[in-house]
Amino acid sequence: MSKYCEWPDFEDFYLEDSFVLGIHESECQIYFDIEGVIIESSSMYLPPQKGEHYFYKKGRIVFEGVKSVKWIERNDDFFVDASGEKDYGNIDFLEMVGGAYFIEGDWGRVIIESSPPVIEWY
């Protein structure tokens, strides 16, 4: 078992206070659009915007080479923030267990067998 903060690409990222903006699936890929919290030790870090507690950056968590996706629970309910933007809550949990990735949040719970995930920032 390994936690996300131990993986390459994830060490400068705080998942639990980041927001899921969308989830997209295809036959060989699944990705989570996010507004991610960048921690202060990152070279990408900037001071938070006025009224924000963290520095947020948009990106996506990408799982390529998907062998299987097993949804345990899925919830399409969304939240609307003060600026009118929609999100599906946080990713509360992301670990690799027995060769698969277990991910959980307000939007659901899923087990993904795939290549190691990467984060693409934009």
Side-chain angles (χ1 to χ4, degrees), residues 48-54:
Q49 297 283 330
K50 185 175 181 169
E52 298 281 347
H53 188 68
Y54 298 109

Side-chain angles (χ1 to χ4, degrees), residues 15-42:
L15 193 60
E16 291 80 0
D17 281 332
S18 299
F19 297 98
V20 174
L21 305 177
I23 302 169
H24 307 275
E25 287 184 73
S26 68
E27 192 173 306
C28 60
Q29 179 186 78
I30 182 169
Y31 65 90
F32 294 76
D33 285 322
I34 59 167
E35 189 164 30
V37 173
I38 305 298
I39 62 174
E40 290 184 37
S41 60
S42 172

Side-chain angles (χ1 to χ4, degrees), residues 2-16 39 94-95:
S2 67
K3 292 188 168 204
Y4 78 89
C5 57
E6 301 167 354
W7 307 339
D9 285 353
F10 287 79
E11 60 272 345
D12 292 334
F13 174 50
Y14 182 59
L15 193 60
E16 291 80 0
I39 62 174
L94 172 55
E95 286 188 358

